[in-house]
């Protein structure tokens, strides 16, 4: 049975054909850095990225010599074609999959990466169980979309394909309840460089010193306040949450 709905499959089939490469590469640089930060105490040899998109994150993993062998799975054929065109030296295989069934045996990989994917997944627990089957460690990054009143901005999030909302707390609950142990995590605020690009290139706003100053000030104020006020505030200010997990020895039961 194919768990991926026809509507979702169609939406992503040609998703990367006309993508903005510069925008994706800029975002991927910081996503890759976050992933390496939480993985700094492990040395995975085999790394699989699930939902690898156009290979932007894999580009940086390859460039930064992370993992001896890189593998990619993606639901969109257009994404797989772009990944292959990158000619990454450490990439061993890139292929499409159905969004849930990973075509590799149990314990095939040291690490699976799932970066800005879980918020798009219709049946998140089914995918998490499959990741757990195939890898020793799982690194996940999600946007911190959830805010009060998020239900009043349905179109905004659905236009990006975001059907699940997370906070660091809710993601940890999900992962722990699926038998995963959190061994490292990180909250991050969108870097000014990314917001400059979004404002002045994507939105084509007139370049303004005051606008640039406001973007930088907001970043540094939130970052410093979070450091002073502690973990709860840092998580509230965050735009993304990155976590490294491994299979837990605890045997949790629902009911």
């Amino acid at each position: 049975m194919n768990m991926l709905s026809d509507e979702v499959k169609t939406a992503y089939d040609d998703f990367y054909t006309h993508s903005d490469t510069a925008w994706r590469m800029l975002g991927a640089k910081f996503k890759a850095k976050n992933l390496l930060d939480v993985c700094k105490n492990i040395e995975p040899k085999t790394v699989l990225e699930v939902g690898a998109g156009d290979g932007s994150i894999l580009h940086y993993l390859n460039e930064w010599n992370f993992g001896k062998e890189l593998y990619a799975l993606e639901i969109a054929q257009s994404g797989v074609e772009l990944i292959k065109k990158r000619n990454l030296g450490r990439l061993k295989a890139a292929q499409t999959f159905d969004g849930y069934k990973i075509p590799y045996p149990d314990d095939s990989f040291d690490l699976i990466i799932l970066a800005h994917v879980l918020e798009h997944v219709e049946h998140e627990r089914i995918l998490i169980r499959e990741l757990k089957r195939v890898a020793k460690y799982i690194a996940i990054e999600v946007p911190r979309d959830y805010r009060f009143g998020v239900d009043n901005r349905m179109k905004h999030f659905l236009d990006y394909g975001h059907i699940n909302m997370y906070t660091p707390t809710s993601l940890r609950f999900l992962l722990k309840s699926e038998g995963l142990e959190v061994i490292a995590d990180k909250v991050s605020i969108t870097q000014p460089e990314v917001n400059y690009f979004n404002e002045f290139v994507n939105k084509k706003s007139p370049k303004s010193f005051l606008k640039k100053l406001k973007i930088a000030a907001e970043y540094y104020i939130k970052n410093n306040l979070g450091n002073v006020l502690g973990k709860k505030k840092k998580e509230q200010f965050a735009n993304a949450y990155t976590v490294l997990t491994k299979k837990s020895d605890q045997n949790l039961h629902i009911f």
Side-chain angles (χ1 to χ4, degrees):
M1 178 181 175
N2 186 5
M3 299 294 297
L4 189 67
S5 71
D6 291 340
E7 181 182 359
V8 171
K9 180 67 169 66
T10 301
Y12 288 104
D13 270 343
D14 298 314
F15 190 71
Y16 299 99
T17 303
H18 305 292
S19 63
D20 188 326
T21 302
W23 173 243
R24 291 187 182 282
M25 289 299 290
L26 179 59
K29 179 174 70 172
F30 295 107
K31 292 170 187 174
K33 184 180 184 306
N34 290 339
L35 290 162
L36 264 62
D37 283 346
V38 299
C39 293
K40 64 185 178 183
N41 291 324
I42 63 172
E43 294 182 358
K45 294 180 180 178
T46 52
V47 179
L48 168 66
E49 185 178 6
V50 174
D54 66 350
S56 300
I57 290 176
L58 288 168
H59 165 87
Y60 289 106
L61 300 185
N62 184 76
E63 187 175 85
W64 299 339
N65 300 318
F66 182 78
K68 291 186 176 180
E69 297 181 0
L70 302 177
Y71 298 79
L73 290 176
E74 169 55 42
I75 64 171
Q77 182 61 40
S78 58
V80 171
E81 290 169 2
L82 288 171
I83 292 169
K84 289 180 178 179
K85 285 179 181 177
R86 291 180 182 276
N87 295 317
L88 303 177
R90 293 171 181 254
L91 184 68
K92 300 302 178 184
Q95 59 182 302
T96 57
F97 80 128
D98 68 2
Y100 292 96
K101 180 64 178 175
I102 296 177
Y104 289 101
D106 294 0
D107 302 313
S108 293
F109 297 95
D110 296 324
L111 173 69
I112 281 181
I113 287 172
L114 196 74
H116 292 254
V117 171
L118 205 57
E119 65 271 19
H120 299 267
V121 176
E122 295 170 286
H123 309 287
E124 56 198 329
R125 287 182 180 269
I126 292 174
L127 178 59
I128 289 169
R129 290 165 193 170
E130 186 72 344
L131 304 182
K132 184 180 171 185
R133 176 185 71 78
V134 175
K136 179 179 180 180
Y137 294 102
I138 304 168
I140 296 175
E141 181 170 300
V142 295
R144 189 188 177 280
D145 283 338
Y146 181 79
R147 301 287 192 277
F148 179 77
V150 72
D151 56 319
N152 295 320
R153 302 180 65 208
M154 294 287 290
K155 186 177 187 307
H156 169 80
F157 290 107
L158 294 180
D159 282 350
Y160 288 100
H162 292 195
I163 58 174
N164 301 314
M165 300 285 156
Y166 301 102
T167 65
T169 299
S170 70
L171 182 63
R172 288 193 295 267
F173 180 90
L174 172 64
L175 298 175
K176 289 179 180 180
S177 68
E178 284 298 328
L180 293 168
E181 177 186 350
V182 174
I183 56 177
D185 66 347
K186 175 184 179 180
V187 293
S188 54
I189 298 172
T190 304
Q191 292 284 336
E193 183 181 351
V194 175
N195 284 328
Y196 297 156
F197 191 102
N198 188 43
E199 188 67 29
F200 303 129
V201 179
N202 286 348
K203 294 181 180 178
K204 296 182 169 64
S205 299
K207 290 190 177 181
S208 160
F209 173 77
L210 288 177
K211 183 69 176 177
K212 197 170 183 179
L213 183 63
K214 181 181 177 183
I215 290 171
E218 183 177 354
Y219 170 80
Y220 289 109
I221 288 170
K222 284 185 176 180
N223 212 37
N224 289 325
L225 272 178
N227 289 334
V228 170
L229 298 176
K231 181 178 180 180
K232 184 176 179 180
K233 279 297 179 186
K234 284 187 76 169
E235 292 191 351
Q236 287 177 354
F237 290 146
N239 296 113
Y241 181 59
T242 317
V243 60
L244 176 65
T245 69
K246 69 176 182 179
K247 298 175 186 180
S248 172
D249 294 332
Q250 285 188 314
N251 189 14
L252 298 177
H253 295 281
I254 302 175
F255 304 119

